[in-house]
Amino acid sequence: MPVILKDIAARLNLSVTTVSRALGGYPDVAAETRERVLQAAEEMGYHPDVTAQRLQKRRTDTIGLVIPTSGPRFSDPYFTELLAGVGNETARQQFELLIATRPPDTPEERETYERMVQGHRVDGLLVARTRRRDERIAFLCGNGFPFVAFGRWGEELDFPYLDVDGQAGMDQATQHLINLGHRRIAYIGAPRELMFAHFRLGGYRQAMERHGLPIEDGLIAVGDLTQKGGYEEAQRLLGLKVPPTAILAGNDLTALGVISAAQERGLEVGRDLSVVGFDDIPQVEHAHPSLTTVSQPIYDIGVTICRMLIQLLQGEELTERQVLWQPELVVRSSSGPPGPGTVSRDLAK
Amino acid sequence: MPVILKDIAARLNLSVTTVSRALGGYPDVAAETRERVLQAAEEMGYHPDVTAQRLQKRRTDTIGLVIPTSGPRFSDPYFTELLAGVGNETARQQFELLIATRPPDTPEERETYERMVQGHRVDGLLVARTRRRDERIAFLCGNGFPFVAFGRWGEELDFPYLDVDGQAGMDQATQHLINLGHRRIAYIGAPRELMFAHFRLGGYRQAMERHGLPIEDGLIAVGDLTQKGGYEEAQRLLGLKVPPTAILAGNDLTALGVISAAQERGLEVGRDLSVVGFDDIPQVEHAHPSLTTVSQPIYDIGVTICRMLIQLLQGEELTERQVLWQPELVVRSSSGPPGPGTVSRDLAK
DNA sequence: ATTATAACCTAAAACGTTTCGGGTGTCAAA
DNA sequence: TTTGACACCCGAAACGTTTTAGGTTATAAT
């Protein structure tokens, strides 16, 4: 049986109240008494029952995060890094982190959110990867439940979020390729349902239009954010009669798949084909060739949304309720001028 | 204010007890009464307060997992997949999953375990990646706290675990390379402190010895399980006067780094250099070249250790307390016979 | 000698649930 | 009419805390 307040009180001939207040650091306990309590607690190996504390305080000091996972072979390094940021910050602030992994936009996911909110399992939630018709956000807003999102939302609801300017990021990336001399630039994005897919694709379009370059439907593909998806879409694009000289990927995993497909066709990435990703997950720096990508500080994003949420929970006003960070293009070796061997080089002139 | 039992009781002129028992499905409630209670609960939007239930039942229906993360740029796909398995199974069994991310073998990690155990935050724990001197296991065994480990332990403590036979796996991998004709086979393992590093290295040694091949200290390197570590160690090995014709990596991430280093040196992996990994994370199937690796079903491992733990918590006997799964070598394109261009090919004869 | 103040302590209520040990009323059997 | 059995319901205690609202004693001020 674990030691409880009552045990300490009995041993010291004190009331439970006094023991509690001594441990709680209240000033109306004699210094000597506090000392005795502290020592007894130490000796007896007392640790407060967190459940009882929660019931009494009516908060759980726990935040929740539901990770959208698709299928058993789900493994997105992006989420590991986000999780590391969130996890470390929660711990630093003496909070707990409740995690669920559920396929996005399913009854299971919905139930999980309901469970967390309605059973008071968590004080607040983090919502990752906002979607176009995001019932999670509608649900949380509707219930007035505290949350912070990583990502914006189309509808006119006012909630706290942090987002990275995917449009500006992808614009930069596209601009970079155009500057190198590319004209025929393909794009393998993420499913349309995801908000960020929207913004990133917008950045591509914006940059292309600015330079009067045609946007061909045939050069715009939709992947599934995995390496495999990138591989397959790239195979298709590279098999075109007039293939692109550069491919922009909606995220790094997709980009890695593109590289893989290119290499399998004997192309040298960075010369015969330029590839640019988005995210800057740790893996891509030491890939071959190292990947040019739009870098967003995933770990710091995790830390920050976590910090925002906890601030919110503690009743503080957020200095910035809606934050947009600017990503940064990191040029590495996977992008270069369209090579002499490129089929469509002449078209570029 | 959320609806509580008392509210329902008041509305129906019943006692809290009866309402509770009606909702709990006890037989000593009139069918008609139960019906009224159920309907009122539905109408009023009642959801039990999970904290109060926990306090009363003295269980949390929560299991914990502390993910060992090293540094902010931590991102191991292996853990994402494990997490997906654990997460889905916990949800299926109506449990909650409490996650922490802490650097291994640090005071922070120790405190987190203490917090979880002593504050009764969780009913049981999953321990991943057992270590040679694993204070986590010593602590949990010492406290008689329920847990299941992914990985064995050297010391003579009897606890439930699931492990994959790394020795057999690496033996197979080594055998595969030897069969292909390789003789000069290097090994980039994981830090010695990790139990699995031990077994896997043992498998390499075992196979080499069986074939009377010399085990050169200079060909055995220690990585850090990341792509970067693999890259750096591979650069060193490939820079040797007589470089190896094949490199075995202690995990897939390391293997990807090796491939990257080889390609940077202009080697064609699978011909000029063979590379074999361990884990079979989703990424490696669509890498270029696709990676030959020892496959362990990470997702299923997550599901299984989770299932074992919950069984344990529910007081059931485990049919198998200590399980050892056999991994399987998956041959893809990163391994082949030592090529004609290989420096040390002649030595092999 | 009274009153105010301060220092220290505590009983009891509260948090929302489940469970224990009856209690009441009805009906059938004796 | 009593007795038992049964069906249904309920008060109170319990889970381990914190908080509220004092209570007691000693000391200082009047």
Side-chain angles (χ1 to χ4, degrees):
Chain A
M1 283 300 91
V3 179
I4 63 179
L5 282 185
K6 207 160 56 166
D7 301 329
I8 304 184
R11 161 144 149 191
L12 299 181
N13 272 320
L14 285 172
S15 73
V16 168
T17 308
T18 304
V19 175
S20 171
R21 296 183 76 82
L23 293 170
Y26 282 71
D28 61 350
V29 176
E32 191 235 330
T33 309
R34 182 189 341 281
E35 213 31 70
R36 287 201 303 143
V37 170
L38 255 37
Q39 181 163 352
E42 173 70 30
E43 279 175 27
M44 302 171 74
Y46 170 75
H47 296 279
D49 181 312
V50 75
T51 307
Q53 288 180 320
R54 286 178 181 171
L55 178 58
Q56 150 68 31
K57 298 204 153 130
R58 257 158 343 252
R59 352 180 229 108
T60 60
D61 290 335
T62 302
I63 66 178
L65 169 63
V66 183
I67 302 180
T69 52
S70 359
R73 297 240 62 190
F74 165 84
S75 135
D76 194 334
Y78 165 91
F79 273 110
T80 332
E81 210 179 334
L82 188 72
L83 184 61
V86 171
N88 287 350
E89 184 62 16
T90 12
R92 216 182 58 75
Q93 306 236 25
Q94 314 260 55
F95 267 66
E96 319 280 334
L97 180 59
L98 201 63
I99 294 284
T101 56
R102 313 267 64 189
D105 228 342
T106 56
E108 291 98 297
E109 187 190 48
R110 197 169 318 124
E111 278 159 28
T112 301
Y113 274 88
E114 286 171 0
R115 235 170 107 85
M116 288 206 175
V117 170
Q118 299 173 333
H120 312 117
R121 279 165 168 83
V122 297
D123 293 338
L125 279 166
L126 294 174
V127 175
R129 259 191 199 160
T130 51
R131 312 199 266 262
R132 238 135 77 121
R133 291 177 36 257
D134 204 317
E135 46 173 12
R136 304 172 297 172
I137 293 182
F139 172 71
L140 295 174
C141 283
N143 281 56
F145 196 80
F147 74 103
V148 173
F150 174 19
R152 283 161 285 173
W153 200 33
E155 324 265 326
E156 281 310 314
L157 275 174
D158 173 66
F159 60 89
Y161 66 74
L162 165 63
D163 201 1
V164 166
D165 193 338
Q167 176 151 4
M170 204 49 102
D171 184 315
Q172 267 186 75
T174 315
Q175 179 72 55
H176 165 68
L177 290 171
I178 296 173
N179 287 349
L180 285 170
H182 294 274
R183 295 296 174 266
R184 204 166 161 72
I185 303 170
Y187 185 90
I188 305 179
R192 289 289 159 82
E193 182 55 19
L194 299 171
M195 282 306 288
F196 78 81
H198 209 58
F199 290 114
R200 294 185 190 174
L201 180 59
Y204 163 74
R205 286 181 185 283
Q206 175 176 298
M208 293 293 276
E209 277 166 12
R210 192 170 54 238
H211 289 269
L213 294 173
I215 296 173
E216 291 182 34
D217 279 354
L219 288 186
I220 298 188
V222 177
D224 61 357
L225 295 171
T226 72
Q227 202 150 357
K228 188 173 173 212
Y231 175 88
E232 286 163 0
E233 290 304 318
Q235 285 291 14
R236 197 180 59 70
L237 287 167
L238 295 173
L240 289 178
K241 247 193 240 135
V242 188
T245 64
I247 299 182
L248 280 163
N251 72 336
D252 281 349
L253 237 36
T254 301
L256 290 176
V258 173
I259 289 182
S260 200
Q263 289 174 336
E264 203 173 296
R265 290 176 159 262
L267 300 177
E268 189 179 327
V269 173
R271 200 194 56 183
D272 306 329
L273 178 76
S274 286
V275 179
V276 178
F278 201 118
D279 283 347
D280 199 17
I281 57 178
Q283 278 85 330
V284 302
E285 189 180 345
H286 293 91
H288 182 81
S290 62
L291 184 70
T292 295
T293 190
V294 181
S295 180
Q296 53 176 341
I298 310 176
Y299 180 89
D300 293 333
I301 290 168
V303 170
T304 307
I305 55 177
C306 189
R307 198 173 285 167
M308 285 170 77
L309 179 57
I310 291 178
Q311 244 176 57
L312 213 63
L313 294 178
Q314 290 170 341
E316 297 167 37
E317 270 309 305
L318 289 183
T319 42
E320 290 185 289
R321 254 175 82 80
Q322 288 154 348
V323 192
L324 195 60
W325 282 3
Q326 288 307 316
E328 191 191 351
L329 180 71
V330 178
V331 178
R332 299 206 183 93
S333 334
S334 68
S335 58
T342 306
V343 175
S344 47
R345 196 181 182 236
D346 298 336
L347 297 173
K349 293 192 178 159
Chain B
M1 282 303 90
V3 179
I4 64 178
L5 282 184
K6 206 161 54 164
D7 301 329
I8 304 184
R11 160 145 150 190
L12 299 181
N13 273 320
L14 285 171
S15 72
V16 168
T17 306
T18 304
V19 175
S20 170
R21 296 182 76 83
L23 292 171
Y26 282 72
D28 60 351
V29 176
E32 190 235 332
T33 309
R34 183 191 340 282
E35 214 30 73
R36 288 201 304 142
V37 170
L38 254 38
Q39 181 163 353
E42 173 70 29
E43 278 176 28
M44 303 171 75
Y46 170 74
H47 296 278
D49 182 310
V50 75
T51 307
Q53 289 180 319
R54 287 177 182 172
L55 179 58
Q56 153 67 32
K57 298 202 153 132
R58 255 154 341 222
R59 359 181 224 105
T60 59
D61 289 335
T62 302
I63 65 178
L65 169 62
V66 183
I67 301 180
T69 52
S70 1
R73 296 241 65 188
F74 166 85
S75 135
D76 194 333
Y78 165 93
F79 273 110
T80 332
E81 209 179 333
L82 188 72
L83 184 61
V86 172
N88 287 350
E89 184 62 16
T90 12
R92 216 181 58 75
Q93 306 235 24
Q94 313 260 55
F95 267 66
E96 319 280 334
L97 179 59
L98 200 64
I99 293 284
T101 57
R102 311 268 64 188
D105 227 342
T106 55
E108 291 98 298
E109 187 190 49
R110 197 168 319 124
E111 278 159 28
T112 301
Y113 275 88
E114 287 171 1
R115 235 169 108 84
M116 288 204 174
V117 170
Q118 300 174 333
H120 313 116
R121 277 164 169 84
V122 297
D123 293 339
L125 278 167
L126 294 174
V127 175
R129 258 191 200 160
T130 51
R131 310 199 266 262
R132 253 173 20 160
R133 291 178 33 259
D134 205 317
E135 45 171 13
R136 302 172 298 172
I137 294 181
F139 172 71
L140 294 174
C141 282
N143 281 56
F145 196 81
F147 73 104
V148 173
F150 174 18
R152 282 161 285 172
W153 200 32
E155 324 265 327
E156 280 312 314
L157 276 174
D158 173 67
F159 59 90
Y161 66 76
L162 165 64
D163 202 0
V164 166
D165 193 338
Q167 177 151 2
M170 204 50 101
D171 184 314
Q172 266 186 75
T174 314
Q175 179 72 55
H176 165 67
L177 290 172
I178 294 173
N179 288 349
L180 285 171
H182 294 275
R183 295 296 175 267
R184 203 165 160 74
I185 303 171
Y187 186 90
I188 305 180
R192 290 290 158 83
E193 182 55 18
L194 299 171
M195 282 306 287
F196 78 80
H198 209 59
F199 290 115
R200 294 186 190 173
L201 181 58
Y204 163 74
R205 286 181 185 284
Q206 174 177 298
M208 293 294 276
E209 276 166 13
R210 192 169 54 240
H211 290 269
L213 294 173
I215 296 172
E216 291 182 33
D217 279 353
L219 288 187
I220 299 187
V222 177
D224 60 357
L225 295 171
T226 73
Q227 202 150 358
K228 189 175 171 211
Y231 175 88
E232 286 164 0
E233 290 303 319
Q235 285 292 12
R236 197 180 60 70
L237 288 167
L238 296 173
L240 290 177
K241 246 191 239 133
V242 187
T245 64
I247 299 182
L248 280 163
N251 72 337
D252 282 350
L253 238 35
T254 301
L256 290 176
V258 172
I259 290 182
S260 201
Q263 290 174 335
E264 203 173 297
R265 290 179 160 261
L267 301 176
E268 188 179 326
V269 173
R271 199 194 54 182
D272 307 328
L273 178 76
S274 286
V275 179
V276 178
F278 201 119
D279 282 349
D280 199 18
I281 57 177
Q283 278 85 331
V284 302
E285 189 180 345
H286 294 90
H288 181 83
S290 63
L291 185 70
T292 295
T293 190
V294 181
S295 181
Q296 52 176 341
I298 310 177
Y299 180 89
D300 293 332
I301 290 168
V303 169
T304 307
I305 54 176
C306 189
R307 196 172 286 165
M308 286 170 76
L309 180 58
I310 291 179
Q311 244 176 55
L312 213 63
L313 294 178
Q314 289 171 341
E316 298 167 36
E317 269 310 305
L318 290 183
T319 41
E320 290 185 290
R321 256 175 81 80
Q322 287 155 348
V323 193
L324 195 60
W325 283 2
Q326 288 307 316
E328 192 191 350
L329 181 70
V330 178
V331 178
R332 299 205 183 94
S333 336
S334 69
S335 57
T342 306
V343 176
S344 46
R345 193 178 184 241
D346 298 337
L347 297 174
K349 290 190 180 162

